Coordinates of all heavy atoms in Angstrom, one line a residue:
M52 N -0.2 34.5 28.7 CA 0.3 33.2 28.3 C 0.7 33.4 26.8 O 0.0 34.1 26.0 CB -0.8 32.1 28.4 CG -0.1 30.7 28.4 SD -1.3 29.5 28.4 CE -1.5 29.2 30.1
S53 N 1.7 32.7 26.4 CA 2.2 32.8 25.0 C 1.2 32.1 24.0 O 0.5 31.2 24.4 CB 3.6 32.0 24.9 OG 3.9 31.9 23.5
K54 N 1.1 32.7 22.8 CA 0.2 32.1 21.8 C 0.6 30.7 21.4 O -0.3 29.8 21.1 CB 0.2 33.0 20.6 CG -0.6 32.5 19.5 CD -0.7 33.4 18.2 CE -1.6 32.8 17.2 NZ -1.5 33.5 15.9
K55 N 1.8 30.3 21.5 CA 2.3 29.0 21.1 C 1.8 27.9 22.1 O 1.6 26.7 21.7 CB 3.7 28.8 21.1 CG 4.3 29.5 19.9 CD 5.9 29.3 19.9 CE 6.5 29.8 18.6 NZ 7.9 29.5 18.5
L56 N 1.4 28.4 23.3 CA 0.9 27.4 24.3 C -0.5 27.2 24.3 O -1.0 26.4 25.1 CB 1.6 27.8 25.7 CG 3.0 27.7 25.8 CD1 3.4 28.2 27.2 CD2 3.6 26.3 25.5
Q57 N -1.2 28.1 23.6 CA -2.7 28.0 23.6 C -3.2 27.1 22.4 O -2.7 27.0 21.4 CB -3.3 29.3 23.4 CG -2.9 30.4 24.5 CD -3.4 31.7 24.1 OE1 -3.9 32.0 23.0 NE2 -3.2 32.6 25.1
Q58 N -4.1 26.3 22.8 CA -4.8 25.3 21.9 C -3.9 24.6 21.0 O -3.1 23.7 21.6 CB -5.8 26.2 20.9 CG -7.0 26.8 21.7 CD -7.7 27.8 20.8 OE1 -7.4 28.0 19.7 NE2 -8.9 28.3 21.4
N59 N -3.7 24.8 19.7 CA -2.9 24.0 18.8 C -1.7 24.7 18.3 O -1.2 24.5 17.3 CB -3.8 23.5 17.7 CG -3.1 22.3 16.9 OD1 -2.3 21.7 17.5 ND2 -3.5 22.0 15.7
G60 N -1.3 25.7 19.1 CA -0.2 26.7 18.7 C 1.1 26.0 18.5 O 1.9 26.4 17.5
I61 N 1.4 25.0 19.3 CA 2.7 24.4 19.1 C 2.9 23.7 17.8 O 3.9 23.8 17.1 CB 2.9 23.3 20.3 CG1 3.0 24.0 21.6 CG2 4.2 22.5 20.0 CD1 3.2 23.1 22.8
F62 N 1.9 23.0 17.3 CA 1.9 22.4 16.0 C 1.7 23.3 14.8 O 2.2 23.1 13.8 CB 0.9 21.2 16.0 CG 1.2 20.2 16.9 CD1 0.5 20.0 18.2 CD2 2.3 19.3 16.8 CE1 0.8 19.1 19.1 CE2 2.6 18.4 17.8 CZ 1.8 18.2 18.9
E63 N 0.9 24.4 15.1 CA 0.7 25.3 14.0 C 2.0 26.0 13.6 O 2.2 26.4 12.5 CB -0.3 26.4 14.4 CG -1.7 25.8 14.7 CD -2.3 25.4 13.3 OE1 -2.0 26.1 12.2 OE2 -3.1 24.5 13.1
S64 N 2.9 26.2 14.6 CA 4.1 26.9 14.4 C 5.2 26.0 13.8 O 6.2 26.6 13.4 CB 4.6 27.6 15.6 OG 5.0 26.7 16.6
S65 N 5.0 24.7 13.7 CA 6.0 23.8 13.2 C 5.7 23.2 11.9 O 5.7 22.0 11.7 CB 6.3 22.8 14.3 OG 5.2 22.0 14.5
R66 N 5.2 24.0 10.9 CA 4.7 23.4 9.6 C 5.8 23.4 8.5 O 5.5 23.0 7.4 CB 3.5 24.1 9.1 CG 2.3 23.8 10.0 CD 1.1 24.3 9.2 NE 0.0 24.0 10.0 CZ -1.3 23.8 9.5 NH1 -1.4 24.0 8.3 NH2 -2.3 23.6 10.3
M67 N 7.0 23.7 8.9 CA 8.1 23.7 8.0 C 8.5 22.3 7.5 O 8.4 21.4 8.4 CB 9.3 24.4 8.6 CG 10.4 24.7 7.4 SD 11.9 25.4 8.2 CE 12.6 24.0 9.0
M68 N 8.7 22.2 6.2 CA 9.0 20.7 5.8 C 10.4 20.9 5.0 O 10.6 21.7 4.2 CB 7.9 20.2 4.8 CG 8.2 18.8 4.5 SD 6.7 18.3 3.4 CE 5.9 17.3 4.5
L69 N 11.4 20.0 5.3 CA 12.6 20.0 4.7 C 12.5 19.4 3.3 O 11.5 18.6 3.0 CB 13.6 19.1 5.4 CG 14.0 19.5 6.8 CD1 14.8 18.5 7.5 CD2 14.8 20.9 6.7
P70 N 13.3 19.9 2.4 CA 13.2 19.4 0.9 C 13.3 17.9 0.8 O 12.7 17.2 0.0 CB 14.3 20.1 0.3 CG 14.7 21.3 1.0 CD 14.3 20.9 2.4
E71 N 14.2 17.3 1.7 CA 14.3 15.7 1.6 C 13.1 15.0 2.0 O 12.7 14.1 1.5 CB 15.5 15.4 2.5 CG 16.9 15.9 2.1 CD 17.1 17.3 2.8 OE1 16.4 17.7 3.7 OE2 18.0 17.9 2.2
H72 N 12.4 15.6 3.0 CA 11.2 15.0 3.5 C 10.1 15.3 2.4 O 9.2 14.3 2.2 CB 10.7 15.7 4.8 CG 11.7 15.4 5.9 ND1 11.7 16.1 7.1 CD2 12.6 14.4 6.1 CE1 12.6 15.6 7.8 NE2 13.1 14.6 7.3
R73 N 10.0 16.3 1.8 CA 9.0 16.6 0.7 C 9.2 15.6 -0.4 O 8.3 15.0 -0.9 CB 9.2 18.1 0.2 CG 8.2 18.5 -0.8 CD 8.3 19.9 -1.2 NE 7.2 20.4 -2.1 CZ 7.3 20.1 -3.4 NH1 8.3 19.5 -4.0 NH2 6.2 20.5 -4.2
E74 N 10.5 15.5 -0.9 CA 10.7 14.5 -2.0 C 10.3 13.0 -1.6 O 9.8 12.3 -2.3 CB 12.2 14.5 -2.4 CG 12.6 15.8 -3.1 CD 14.1 16.0 -3.2 OE1 14.8 14.9 -2.9 OE2 14.6 17.0 -3.6
A75 N 10.7 12.7 -0.3 CA 10.3 11.3 0.1 C 8.8 11.2 0.2 O 8.3 10.2 -0.1 CB 10.9 11.0 1.5
Y76 N 8.1 12.3 0.6 CA 6.6 12.2 0.7 C 6.0 12.1 -0.8 O 5.1 11.3 -1.0 CB 6.1 13.5 1.3 CG 4.6 13.5 1.4 CD1 3.9 12.7 2.2 CD2 3.9 14.3 0.5 CE1 2.4 12.8 2.2 CE2 2.6 14.4 0.5 CZ 1.9 13.6 1.4 OH 0.5 13.7 1.4
I77 N 6.5 12.9 -1.7 CA 6.1 12.8 -3.0 C 6.4 11.3 -3.7 O 5.5 10.7 -4.3 CB 6.6 13.8 -4.0 CG1 6.1 15.1 -3.5 CG2 6.5 13.6 -5.5 CD1 6.8 16.4 -4.2
L78 N 7.5 10.9 -3.4 CA 7.8 9.4 -3.9 C 6.9 8.4 -3.3 O 6.4 7.5 -4.0 CB 9.3 9.2 -3.6 CG 9.8 7.8 -4.1 CD1 9.8 7.6 -5.6 CD2 11.2 7.5 -3.6
H79 N 6.6 8.6 -2.0 CA 5.7 7.7 -1.2 C 4.3 7.7 -1.9 O 3.7 6.7 -2.1 CB 5.7 8.0 0.2 CG 4.7 7.1 0.9 ND1 5.0 5.8 1.2 CD2 3.6 7.4 1.6 CE1 4.0 5.3 2.0 NE2 3.2 6.3 2.2
Q80 N 3.8 8.9 -2.1 CA 2.5 9.0 -2.7 C 2.4 8.5 -4.1 O 1.4 7.9 -4.5 CB 2.0 10.6 -2.8 CG 1.8 11.2 -1.5 CD 0.7 10.5 -0.7 OE1 -0.3 10.1 -1.2 NE2 0.9 10.3 0.6
E81 N 3.5 8.5 -4.9 CA 3.5 7.9 -6.3 C 3.5 6.4 -6.2 O 2.9 5.7 -7.0 CB 4.7 8.4 -7.1 CG 4.7 9.8 -7.4 CD 6.0 10.4 -8.1 OE1 6.9 9.5 -8.2 OE2 6.1 11.5 -8.6
Q82 N 4.1 5.9 -5.2 CA 4.1 4.5 -5.0 C 2.8 3.9 -4.6 O 2.4 2.8 -4.8 CB 5.2 4.0 -4.0 CG 6.6 4.2 -4.6 CD 7.6 3.9 -3.5 OE1 7.3 3.8 -2.4 NE2 8.9 3.8 -3.9
L83 N 2.0 4.7 -3.9 CA 0.7 4.3 -3.2 C -0.4 4.4 -4.4 O -1.3 3.5 -4.4 CB 0.2 5.1 -2.1 CG 1.0 5.1 -0.8 CD1 0.4 6.1 0.2 CD2 0.8 3.6 -0.3
A84 N -0.2 5.2 -5.4 CA -1.2 5.3 -6.5 C -1.1 4.2 -7.4 O 0.0 3.7 -7.8 CB -0.9 6.5 -7.3
P85 N -2.2 3.5 -7.8 CA -2.2 2.3 -8.7 C -1.8 2.7 -10.0 O -2.1 3.8 -10.5 CB -3.6 1.7 -8.6 CG -4.5 2.9 -8.1 CD -3.6 3.8 -7.3
R86 N -1.0 1.9 -10.6 CA -0.5 2.2 -11.9 C -1.5 1.5 -13.0 O -2.2 0.6 -12.7 CB 0.9 1.6 -12.2 CG 2.0 2.1 -11.2 CD 3.2 1.5 -11.5 NE 3.2 0.1 -11.5 CZ 4.1 -0.7 -11.9 NH1 5.2 -0.3 -12.5 NH2 4.0 -2.0 -11.9
T87 N -1.4 1.9 -14.2 CA -2.2 1.4 -15.2 C -1.5 0.3 -15.9 O -0.2 0.4 -16.0 CB -2.6 2.4 -16.3 OG1 -1.5 3.1 -16.8 CG2 -3.5 3.6 -15.6
R88 N -2.1 -0.7 -16.4 CA -1.4 -1.8 -17.1 C -0.9 -1.4 -18.5 O -1.6 -0.7 -19.3 CB -2.4 -2.9 -17.3 CG -1.8 -4.2 -17.9 CD -2.8 -5.3 -18.0 NE -2.2 -6.5 -18.4 CZ -2.8 -7.7 -18.4 NH1 -4.0 -7.8 -17.9 NH2 -2.1 -8.8 -18.8
P89 N 0.4 -1.7 -18.8 CA 0.9 -1.2 -20.1 C 0.3 -2.0 -21.2 O 0.0 -3.1 -21.1 CB 2.5 -1.4 -19.9 CG 2.6 -2.5 -18.9 CD 1.4 -2.3 -18.0
S90 N 0.2 -1.3 -22.4 CA -0.3 -2.0 -23.5 C 0.9 -2.3 -24.5 O 1.8 -1.5 -24.6 CB -1.3 -1.2 -24.3 OG -0.7 -0.1 -24.7
L91 N 1.0 -3.5 -25.2 CA 1.9 -3.9 -26.0 C 1.6 -3.6 -27.5 O 0.4 -4.0 -27.9 CB 2.3 -5.4 -25.9 CG 3.0 -5.9 -24.7 CD1 3.1 -7.3 -24.7 CD2 4.3 -5.1 -24.5
D92 N 2.4 -3.2 -28.2 CA 2.1 -3.1 -29.7 C 2.4 -4.4 -30.3 O 3.0 -5.3 -29.7 CB 2.9 -1.9 -30.4 CG 4.4 -2.0 -30.2 OD1 4.9 -2.9 -29.5 OD2 5.1 -1.2 -30.9
A93 N 2.1 -4.5 -31.6 CA 2.2 -5.8 -32.3 C 3.8 -6.2 -32.4 O 4.1 -7.3 -32.1 CB 1.7 -5.7 -33.7
Q94 N 4.7 -5.2 -32.6 CA 6.1 -5.6 -32.7 C 6.5 -6.1 -31.4 O 7.3 -7.1 -31.4 CB 6.8 -4.3 -33.2 CG 8.3 -4.6 -33.5 CD 8.9 -3.3 -33.9 OE1 8.4 -2.3 -34.1 NE2 10.2 -3.6 -34.3
A95 N 6.2 -5.5 -30.3 CA 6.7 -5.8 -29.0 C 6.1 -7.3 -28.7 O 6.9 -8.1 -28.1 CB 6.3 -4.9 -27.9
A96 N 4.9 -7.5 -29.0 CA 4.3 -8.9 -28.8 C 4.9 -9.9 -29.6 O 5.2 -11.1 -29.0 CB 2.8 -8.8 -28.9
E97 N 5.3 -9.6 -30.7 CA 6.0 -10.6 -31.7 C 7.3 -10.9 -31.1 O 7.8 -12.1 -31.1 CB 6.0 -10.1 -33.1 CG 6.7 -11.0 -34.0 CD 6.0 -12.2 -34.3 OE1 4.8 -12.2 -34.2 OE2 6.6 -13.2 -34.5
E98 N 8.2 -9.9 -30.7 CA 9.4 -10.1 -30.1 C 9.4 -10.8 -28.8 O 10.2 -11.8 -28.6 CB 10.2 -8.7 -29.8 CG 11.5 -8.9 -29.2 CD 12.2 -7.6 -29.0 OE1 11.6 -6.5 -29.2 OE2 13.3 -7.6 -28.5
M99 N 8.4 -10.5 -28.0 CA 8.3 -11.4 -26.7 C 8.0 -12.8 -27.1 O 8.5 -13.8 -26.4 CB 7.2 -10.8 -25.9 CG 6.9 -11.5 -24.5 SD 5.9 -10.6 -23.4 CE 4.3 -10.7 -24.4
S100 N 7.1 -13.2 -28.1 CA 6.7 -14.5 -28.4 C 8.0 -15.2 -29.0 O 8.2 -16.3 -28.7 CB 5.6 -14.5 -29.4 OG 5.4 -15.7 -29.9
R101 N 8.8 -14.5 -29.8 CA 10.0 -15.0 -30.3 C 10.9 -15.4 -29.2 O 11.6 -16.5 -29.1 CB 10.7 -14.1 -31.3 CG 11.9 -14.6 -32.0 CD 12.6 -13.6 -32.9 NE 12.9 -12.4 -32.2 CZ 13.9 -12.2 -31.5 NH1 14.7 -13.0 -31.2 NH2 14.2 -10.9 -31.0
L102 N 11.1 -14.6 -28.3 CA 12.1 -14.8 -27.2 C 11.6 -16.1 -26.3 O 12.4 -16.9 -25.8 CB 12.3 -13.6 -26.3 CG 13.0 -12.4 -26.9 CD1 12.9 -11.2 -26.0 CD2 14.4 -12.7 -27.1
L103 N 10.4 -16.1 -26.1 CA 9.8 -17.3 -25.3 C 10.0 -18.6 -26.0 O 10.3 -19.6 -25.4 CB 8.4 -17.0 -24.9 CG 8.1 -15.9 -24.0 CD1 6.6 -15.7 -23.7 CD2 8.8 -16.1 -22.7
S104 N 9.8 -18.5 -27.3 CA 9.9 -19.7 -28.2 C 11.3 -20.2 -28.1 O 11.7 -21.3 -28.1 CB 9.4 -19.5 -29.6 OG 8.0 -19.3 -29.5
N105 N 12.3 -19.2 -28.3 CA 13.6 -19.5 -28.3 C 14.2 -20.1 -27.0 O 15.1 -21.0 -26.9 CB 14.6 -18.3 -28.6 CG 14.6 -17.9 -30.1 OD1 14.2 -18.7 -30.9 ND2 15.0 -16.7 -30.4
S106 N 13.7 -19.5 -25.9 CA 13.9 -20.1 -24.6 C 13.4 -21.6 -24.4 O 14.2 -22.4 -23.9 CB 13.3 -19.3 -23.5 OG 13.5 -19.9 -22.2
M107 N 12.3 -21.9 -24.9 CA 11.8 -23.2 -24.9 C 12.6 -24.2 -25.7 O 12.9 -25.3 -25.4 CB 10.3 -23.2 -25.3 CG 9.6 -24.6 -25.1 SD 7.8 -24.5 -25.2 CE 7.6 -24.1 -26.9
M108 N 13.0 -23.8 -26.9 CA 13.7 -24.6 -27.9 C 15.1 -24.8 -27.6 O 15.7 -25.9 -27.6 CB 13.5 -24.1 -29.4 CG 12.1 -24.1 -29.8 SD 11.4 -25.7 -29.9 CE 9.8 -25.5 -30.6
L109 N 15.7 -23.6 -27.3 CA 17.2 -23.6 -27.1 C 17.6 -23.7 -25.7 O 18.8 -24.0 -25.4 CB 17.9 -22.4 -27.6 CG 17.6 -22.2 -29.2 CD1 18.2 -20.9 -29.6 CD2 18.1 -23.3 -30.1
G110 N 16.7 -23.6 -24.7 CA 17.1 -23.7 -23.3 C 17.6 -22.4 -22.8 O 18.3 -22.3 -21.7
D111 N 17.5 -21.2 -23.4 CA 18.1 -20.0 -23.0 C 17.2 -19.5 -21.7 O 16.0 -19.9 -21.6 CB 17.8 -18.9 -24.0 CG 18.7 -19.2 -25.3 OD1 19.6 -19.9 -25.2 OD2 18.3 -18.6 -26.4
R112 N 17.9 -18.7 -20.9 CA 17.2 -18.2 -19.7 C 16.6 -16.9 -20.0 O 17.2 -16.1 -20.8 CB 18.2 -18.1 -18.5 CG 18.6 -19.5 -18.0 CD 19.6 -19.3 -16.9 NE 19.1 -18.7 -15.7 CZ 18.3 -19.2 -14.7 NH1 18.1 -20.5 -14.9 NH2 18.0 -18.5 -13.7
V113 N 15.4 -16.6 -19.6 CA 14.7 -15.3 -19.9 C 14.3 -14.8 -18.4 O 14.1 -15.5 -17.5 CB 13.4 -15.5 -20.7 CG1 13.9 -15.9 -22.1 CG2 12.5 -16.5 -20.2
T114 N 14.1 -13.4 -18.4 CA 13.6 -12.7 -17.3 C 12.2 -12.2 -17.7 O 12.1 -11.5 -18.6 CB 14.6 -11.5 -16.9 OG1 15.9 -12.2 -16.5 CG2 14.0 -11.0 -15.6
I115 N 11.3 -12.6 -16.9 CA 9.9 -12.2 -17.2 C 9.5 -11.2 -16.1 O 9.7 -11.5 -14.9 CB 9.0 -13.4 -17.2 CG1 9.4 -14.4 -18.4 CG2 7.4 -12.9 -17.3 CD1 8.7 -15.6 -18.6
T116 N 8.9 -10.1 -16.6 CA 8.4 -9.1 -15.6 C 6.8 -9.2 -15.7 O 6.2 -8.9 -16.6 CB 8.9 -7.7 -15.9 OG1 10.4 -7.7 -15.9 CG2 8.5 -6.7 -14.8
L117 N 6.2 -9.4 -14.5 CA 4.8 -9.4 -14.4 C 4.3 -8.1 -13.8 O 4.8 -7.6 -12.9 CB 4.3 -10.6 -13.6 CG 4.6 -12.1 -14.0 CD1 4.2 -13.0 -13.1 CD2 4.0 -12.3 -15.4
F118 N 3.3 -7.6 -14.3 CA 2.7 -6.4 -14.0 C 1.9 -6.5 -12.6 O 1.1 -7.6 -12.5 CB 1.8 -5.8 -15.0 CG 1.0 -4.6 -14.6 CD1 1.6 -3.4 -14.6 CD2 -0.3 -4.7 -14.2 CE1 1.0 -2.3 -14.1 CE2 -1.0 -3.6 -13.8 CZ -0.4 -2.3 -13.7
H119 N 2.1 -5.6 -11.7 CA 1.3 -5.5 -10.5 C 1.1 -4.1 -10.2 O 1.7 -3.2 -10.7 CB 2.0 -6.1 -9.3 CG 1.2 -6.4 -8.2 ND1 1.1 -5.4 -7.2 CD2 0.3 -7.4 -7.7 CE1 0.2 -5.8 -6.2 NE2 -0.3 -7.1 -6.6
E120 N -0.1 -3.8 -9.7 CA -0.5 -2.3 -9.4 C 0.5 -1.6 -8.7 O 0.7 -0.3 -9.0 CB -1.8 -2.3 -8.7 CG -3.0 -2.7 -9.5 CD -4.2 -2.6 -8.7 OE1 -4.2 -2.3 -7.4 OE2 -5.3 -2.8 -9.3
H121 N 1.2 -2.0 -7.8 CA 2.2 -1.3 -6.9 C 3.7 -1.6 -7.2 O 4.5 -0.7 -7.2 CB 1.9 -1.6 -5.4 CG 0.5 -1.1 -5.0 ND1 0.1 0.1 -5.0 CD2 -0.5 -1.8 -4.7 CE1 -1.1 0.2 -4.6 NE2 -1.6 -1.0 -4.4
D122 N 3.9 -2.9 -7.6 CA 5.3 -3.2 -7.8 C 5.4 -4.4 -8.8 O 4.6 -5.3 -8.6 CB 6.1 -3.7 -6.5 CG 7.5 -3.6 -6.6 OD1 8.0 -3.0 -7.6 OD2 8.1 -4.2 -5.7
D123 N 6.3 -4.3 -9.6 CA 6.5 -5.4 -10.6 C 7.1 -6.6 -10.1 O 7.9 -6.6 -9.1 CB 7.3 -5.1 -11.9 CG 6.6 -4.0 -12.8 OD1 5.4 -3.9 -12.7 OD2 7.3 -3.3 -13.4
I124 N 6.8 -7.8 -10.6 CA 7.4 -9.2 -10.1 C 8.2 -9.7 -11.2 O 7.8 -9.8 -12.3 CB 6.2 -10.0 -9.7 CG1 5.3 -9.4 -8.6 CG2 6.8 -11.4 -9.2 CD1 4.0 -10.1 -8.5
R125 N 9.4 -10.1 -10.9 CA 10.3 -10.6 -11.9 C 10.7 -12.1 -11.6 O 10.9 -12.4 -10.5 CB 11.6 -9.8 -11.9 CG 11.3 -8.4 -12.4 CD 12.5 -7.7 -12.8 NE 12.3 -6.4 -13.4 CZ 13.0 -5.4 -13.5 NH1 14.2 -5.5 -13.1 NH2 12.5 -4.3 -14.1
Y126 N 10.7 -12.8 -12.6 CA 11.0 -14.4 -12.6 C 12.0 -14.5 -13.6 O 12.0 -13.9 -14.8 CB 9.9 -15.2 -12.8 CG 8.8 -15.1 -11.8 CD1 7.5 -14.5 -12.0 CD2 9.0 -15.6 -10.5 CE1 6.6 -14.3 -11.0 CE2 7.9 -15.7 -9.5 CZ 6.8 -14.9 -9.9 OH 5.8 -14.9 -8.9
T127 N 13.1 -15.4 -13.4 CA 14.1 -15.7 -14.3 C 14.2 -17.2 -14.3 O 14.2 -17.9 -13.3 CB 15.5 -15.1 -13.9 OG1 15.4 -13.7 -13.7 CG2 16.6 -15.5 -14.9
G128 N 14.2 -17.7 -15.6 CA 14.3 -19.1 -15.8 C 14.2 -19.6 -17.2 O 14.1 -18.7 -18.1
Q129 N 14.1 -20.9 -17.5 CA 14.0 -21.4 -18.8 C 12.5 -21.8 -19.0 O 11.9 -22.4 -18.1 CB 14.9 -22.7 -19.0 CG 14.7 -23.4 -20.2 CD 15.4 -24.7 -20.2 OE1 16.3 -25.0 -19.3 NE2 15.2 -25.5 -21.2
V130 N 11.9 -21.5 -20.2 CA 10.6 -21.8 -20.5 C 10.5 -23.3 -20.8 O 11.1 -23.9 -21.6 CB 10.1 -21.0 -21.7 CG1 8.7 -21.4 -22.0 CG2 10.1 -19.6 -21.4
L131 N 9.6 -24.1 -20.0 CA 9.4 -25.4 -20.2 C 8.2 -25.7 -21.2 O 8.3 -26.5 -22.0 CB 9.2 -26.2 -18.9 CG 10.4 -26.3 -17.9 CD1 9.9 -26.9 -16.7 CD2 11.5 -27.0 -18.6
R132 N 7.1 -25.0 -20.9 CA 5.9 -25.1 -21.6 C 5.3 -23.8 -21.9 O 5.2 -22.9 -21.0 CB 4.9 -26.1 -20.9 CG 3.7 -26.3 -21.8 CD 2.9 -27.5 -21.1 NE 2.5 -27.0 -19.8 CZ 1.8 -27.8 -19.0 NH1 1.6 -29.0 -19.2 NH2 1.5 -27.3 -17.7
L133 N 4.8 -23.5 -23.1 CA 4.1 -22.3 -23.5 C 2.8 -22.6 -24.2 O 2.7 -23.4 -25.2 CB 5.1 -21.6 -24.5 CG 4.6 -20.2 -25.0 CD1 4.5 -19.2 -23.9 CD2 5.6 -19.8 -26.0
D134 N 1.7 -22.1 -23.5 CA 0.4 -22.4 -24.0 C -0.2 -21.0 -24.4 O -0.7 -20.2 -23.6 CB -0.4 -23.1 -22.9 CG -1.8 -23.5 -23.5 OD1 -2.1 -23.3 -24.7 OD2 -2.7 -23.8 -22.6
R135 N -0.1 -20.7 -25.7 CA -0.6 -19.4 -26.2 C -2.1 -19.2 -26.1 O -2.4 -18.1 -25.7 CB 0.0 -19.2 -27.6 CG 1.4 -19.0 -27.8 CD 1.9 -18.5 -29.1 NE 3.2 -18.2 -29.1 CZ 4.2 -19.0 -29.6 NH1 3.8 -20.0 -30.2 NH2 5.6 -18.7 -29.6
P136 N -2.8 -20.0 -26.4 CA -4.4 -19.9 -26.4 C -4.7 -19.5 -24.9 O -5.6 -18.7 -24.6 CB -5.0 -21.2 -26.8 CG -4.1 -21.8 -27.7 CD -2.7 -21.4 -27.0
A137 N -4.2 -20.2 -24.0 CA -4.5 -20.0 -22.5 C -3.6 -18.8 -21.8 O -3.9 -18.5 -20.8 CB -4.3 -21.2 -21.6
R138 N -2.7 -18.4 -22.7 CA -1.7 -17.4 -22.3 C -1.1 -17.7 -20.8 O -1.0 -16.9 -20.0 CB -2.5 -16.0 -22.1 CG -3.1 -15.5 -23.4 CD -3.8 -14.3 -23.2 NE -2.8 -13.2 -22.9 CZ -3.1 -11.9 -22.7 NH1 -4.3 -11.6 -22.9 NH2 -2.1 -11.1 -22.4
T139 N -0.5 -18.9 -20.9 CA 0.2 -19.4 -19.7 C 1.5 -19.9 -20.1 O 1.8 -20.3 -21.3 CB -0.5 -20.4 -19.0 OG1 -0.7 -21.5 -19.8 CG2 -1.8 -20.0 -18.3
L140 N 2.5 -19.9 -19.2 CA 3.8 -20.6 -19.4 C 4.3 -21.1 -18.2 O 4.0 -20.7 -17.1 CB 4.8 -19.6 -20.1 CG 5.2 -18.4 -19.3 CD1 6.5 -18.6 -18.5 CD2 5.5 -17.3 -20.3
R141 N 5.2 -22.1 -18.3 CA 5.8 -22.8 -17.1 C 7.4 -22.5 -17.2 O 7.9 -22.9 -18.3 CB 5.4 -24.3 -17.2 CG 6.0 -24.9 -15.9 CD 5.5 -26.3 -15.7 NE 4.0 -26.3 -15.5 CZ 3.3 -26.9 -14.8 NH1 4.0 -28.0 -14.3 NH2 2.1 -26.8 -14.5
L142 N 7.9 -22.1 -16.2 CA 9.3 -21.7 -16.1 C 10.1 -22.8 -15.1 O 9.5 -23.2 -14.1 CB 9.5 -20.4 -15.4 CG 9.3 -19.2 -16.3 CD1 9.6 -18.0 -15.4 CD2 10.1 -19.2 -17.5
L143 N 11.3 -23.1 -15.5 CA 12.1 -23.9 -14.7 C 13.1 -22.9 -14.2 O 13.9 -22.3 -14.8 CB 12.9 -24.9 -15.6 CG 14.0 -25.7 -14.8 CD1 13.4 -26.6 -13.7 CD2 14.8 -26.6 -15.7
M144 N 13.0 -22.7 -12.8 CA 13.8 -21.5 -12.2 C 15.2 -22.1 -11.8 O 15.6 -22.9 -11.4 CB 13.1 -21.1 -11.0 CG 11.7 -20.6 -11.3 SD 11.6 -19.1 -10.6 CE 10.4 -18.3 -10.3

């Protein structure tokens, strides 16, 4: 009997992986790994605060990206209320 037909020989002989499949596998594994939360420096935090205040006062639309472990969530709208001590805001979408 052929070696391929014994035990696990059929699957043992088919371990070749195409480059496209390897790249897709690596991308998939990167998406499964949890990301770390980015930290803002003082200048970026000041600019973000200025943009949110301008949106509230002038009615400009802003796009806010919320951090999530696997995928970011984006909201676009006008800031209605901004509560800095509680770190919350209300958007009109």
Side-chain angles (χ1 to χ4, degrees):
M52 202 187 267
S53 171
K54 182 182 176 187
K55 286 186 179 182
L56 298 178
Q57 295 173 358
Q58 297 172 350
N59 199 16
I61 293 174
F62 296 106
E63 290 290 329
S64 65
S65 64
R66 288 190 178 207
M67 186 180 80
M68 189 178 250
L69 293 175
E71 297 86 18
H72 295 160
R73 183 177 185 276
E74 291 171 9
Y76 176 75
I77 290 172
L78 181 64
H79 178 70
Q80 289 299 322
E81 288 174 357
Q82 290 175 351
L83 289 180
R86 302 181 307 161
T87 58
R88 186 175 184 170
S90 62
L91 291 177
D92 60 349
Q94 185 178 4
E97 180 66 30
E98 182 181 357
M99 184 171 58
S100 177
R101 182 183 53 81
L102 289 172
L103 292 174
S104 296
N105 283 348
S106 174
M107 189 168 62
M108 297 296 181
L109 303 175
D111 297 338
R112 292 179 62 84
V113 292
T114 300
I115 298 173
T116 304
L117 298 177
F118 173 79
H119 191 267
E120 287 181 352
H121 299 290
D122 196 16
D123 290 338
I124 304 166
R125 293 192 174 164
Y126 295 106
T127 302
Q129 176 189 350
V130 177
L131 293 178
R132 187 172 56 186
L133 180 63
D134 187 9
R135 287 193 176 104
R138 298 182 66 177
T139 60
L140 62 92
R141 184 167 294 212
L142 285 178
L143 175 64
M144 302 234 206

